Amino acid sequence: MQNKISKINRAFFLLLVFILLAGLLTTVFFPDEINYYENRYANKLSPLTGAAYADGSFQDAMESALSDQVQFSRLAKKCYNYALASSAVPFVSLLENSTHDYVYSNGIAFYEGKIVYTQTGLDWRKDALDAKAENLNAAIAAHPELEFYAYYIEKDTDINFTTGQKLGASQYMFSMLNIPQERKVIYEIDSFKDFDERFYDTDHHWNYIGSYEGYKDIISLLSGDEPLEPTDVFHSGLRFAGSKAMSLGKFYTDEMSIYLFDYPPMTITVNGQQADYGQQDKLVNGELTQVSYGAVYGGDDGEVVFDTGKDGDNILIIGESYDNAVLKLLAGHFSKTYSIDLRNYEAAFGKKFDFDEYVSQHDITKVLLIGNVDYYVADEFMI
């Protein structure tokens, strides 16, 4: 009996060694080009150089390549993801079985296979909206020399996709703001089709289609200029799991795709330091291996300043992360564009944001308030 067990162990060990060696040979000499299971280019070995070995990038690339190329790796990933999905949410069935109603599992809501945040009642938001309107109206009254504009971005929390009923927060907020009607615009989501086309599956932000539509709305609102037209669409093949999918183990993902533009020349400072905003060029040039909305379009920095050097208005944009994708586009239409995220300004500059001082110091002529319902109710965005 011991002899038999010993032979089985040796056979198993030899089989394991054979699989590993075969996997190594495949990785080195016959690597797959595409990881079809994860819908991306497969990882391959990087050239072995002294610098790559010293900084660890060769070892990291080796690990990633083996993960993609060795025998049965795809099967192993499928089994792992299936087990994770079964324990977290009935994910596969939710994606495969389209439904015209909300499906809930472990606190996550799906609608036709897309993760959604559900609509909440207006009543419990009214106090916060009232306070924000009072705050903004005080700034508006104190600065009659400025042109104020407001843009409200509707999303999944603003509509019940089954009934079509709207939250009404956008209309309620705008009814109280002392801004001329023609200077207030709502980015409307009237159906699941609208939302599905314009927003990521796994992230709460708008995608390249949605953000470009928003940019066209905003520039029409602000100046009536012709919008910058995209020269192409770039599908990177890189995938990411956004904020809505973090609890799903990052196996439900979006592809990072962007519109390409010929941006006008401009200098950019981020929190007082000259830098680019976002990494769209690096994405196109293949220099990124990991992506996210903020990494590609730009982060929620306390202050970003875009200077085109041309004559025209200076605009102050007070917003949140939704504006990240449109700031560089909007900046091309103005002399200087100042973007402020009130959540992070004090941390970046060691002092609270002073609206009165800022508009005077930077010769601001226009002010754009932009965000979704969270922006209009959160205390962090009080001026």
Side-chain angles (χ1 to χ4, degrees):
M1 178 62 72
Q2 286 182 341
N3 250 354
K4 189 174 182 180
I5 293 174
S6 179
K7 287 180 180 179
I8 292 173
N9 287 340
R10 281 199 298 271
F12 180 76
F13 175 75
L14 290 172
L15 177 62
L16 186 60
V17 170
F18 173 77
I19 291 173
L20 292 174
L21 288 175
L24 182 60
L25 289 172
T26 300
T27 303
V28 174
F29 297 108
F30 311 104
D32 289 335
E33 293 291 331
I34 305 292
N35 182 325
Y36 290 101
Y37 177 58
E38 298 179 16
N39 193 25
R40 60 174 172 79
Y41 290 105
N43 292 303
K44 297 181 181 181
L45 292 179
S46 296
L48 176 57
T49 64
Y53 187 83
D55 65 19
S57 58
F58 174 78
Q59 295 92 317
D60 291 341
M62 169 69 83
E63 183 178 347
S64 298
L66 290 173
S67 174
D68 272 1
Q69 305 290 350
V70 298
Q71 277 75 9
F72 309 119
S73 63
R74 191 177 306 170
L75 176 62
K77 289 177 182 178
K78 285 183 179 180
C79 291
Y80 172 78
N81 286 344
Y82 180 78
L84 185 61
S86 298
S87 62
V89 292
F91 180 73
V92 175
S93 64
L94 287 172
L95 290 183
E96 292 179 348
N97 300 310
S98 176
T99 175
H100 297 292
D101 204 349
Y102 292 89
V103 177
Y104 299 88
S105 181
N106 288 13
I108 299 174
F110 292 82
Y111 193 91
E112 296 195 18
K114 192 181 187 88
I115 302 175
V116 295
Y117 292 146
T118 52
Q119 186 189 58
T120 53
L122 178 60
D123 288 344
W124 74 273
R125 293 181 179 271
K126 280 187 175 180
D127 288 346
L129 290 169
D130 291 343
K132 185 60 178 283
E134 182 180 355
N135 171 256
L136 293 176
N137 284 335
I140 292 166
H143 293 277
E145 78 282 4
L146 298 177
E147 294 180 7
F148 283 85
Y149 300 81
Y151 193 67
Y152 182 109
I153 302 162
E154 291 186 345
K155 54 188 179 70
D156 44 1
T157 54
D158 287 273
I159 182 173
N160 183 310
F161 293 127
T162 301
T163 65
Q165 182 178 358
K166 289 287 198 78
L167 174 66
S170 52
Q171 291 84 356
Y172 182 76
M173 183 69 200
F174 280 5
S175 71
M176 295 184 290
L177 275 187
N178 296 330
I179 296 175
Q181 191 62 37
E182 66 272 15
R183 295 184 190 167
K184 298 180 284 192
V185 169
I186 299 169
Y187 180 86
E188 297 190 57
I189 298 296
D190 293 324
S191 66
F192 178 74
K193 182 175 181 293
D194 291 342
F195 179 74
D196 191 36
E197 289 176 348
R198 304 176 195 174
F199 287 76
Y200 293 113
D201 289 339
T202 70
D203 196 85
H204 63 282
H205 294 105
W206 48 13
N207 59 23
Y208 72 102
I209 297 172
S211 59
Y212 183 67
E213 289 183 351
Y215 155 68
K216 290 193 294 183
D217 278 351
I218 297 166
I219 203 58
S220 175
L221 169 70
L222 292 173
S223 68
D225 290 352
E226 287 296 315
L228 192 64
E229 295 289 338
T231 59
D232 204 351
V233 181
F234 179 73
H235 301 290
S236 70
L238 298 174
R239 305 191 69 83
F240 71 102
S243 57
K244 291 181 174 180
M246 291 302 181
S247 63
L248 299 181
K250 295 189 177 182
F251 64 87
Y252 182 22
T253 60
D254 285 285
E255 181 182 16
M256 178 55 68
S257 299
I258 62 171
Y259 278 130
L260 303 182
F261 298 95
D262 288 328
Y263 292 103
M266 61 182 77
T267 58
I268 303 171
T269 59
V270 178
N271 293 334
Q273 302 296 318
Q274 188 164 332
D276 197 4
Y277 184 67
Q279 301 185 90
Q280 296 178 51
D281 289 341
K282 288 186 177 180
L283 179 70
V284 174
N285 294 333
E287 297 175 42
L288 299 183
T289 57
Q290 294 183 332
V291 293
S292 66
Y293 173 84
V296 171
Y297 285 112
D300 301 330
D301 299 285
E303 180 196 64
V304 186
V305 182
F306 304 82
D307 186 354
T308 62
K310 67 182 185 181
D311 293 332
D313 290 311
N314 291 345
I315 185 170
L316 171 60
I317 300 176
I318 302 178
E320 33 91 90
S321 56
Y322 276 83
D323 67 25
N324 299 2
V326 299
L327 287 176
K328 207 167 184 179
L329 287 166
L330 294 174
H333 298 268
F334 298 95
S335 177
K336 292 183 180 179
T337 300
Y338 298 86
S339 168
I340 298 295
D341 190 317
L342 292 170
R343 296 169 297 182
N344 300 311
Y345 184 88
E346 185 174 1
F349 293 96
K351 62 179 181 178
K352 290 186 179 296
F353 178 74
D354 187 320
F355 180 81
D356 299 327
E357 179 183 72
Y358 200 88
V359 296
S360 174
Q361 180 181 354
H362 298 290
D363 297 322
I364 301 298
T365 55
K366 298 188 178 194
V367 177
L368 171 65
L369 311 166
I370 173 174
N372 71 95
V373 65
D374 305 313
Y375 168 80
Y376 285 100
V377 300
D379 289 342
E380 296 168 298
F381 294 107
M382 290 288 191
I383 294 178

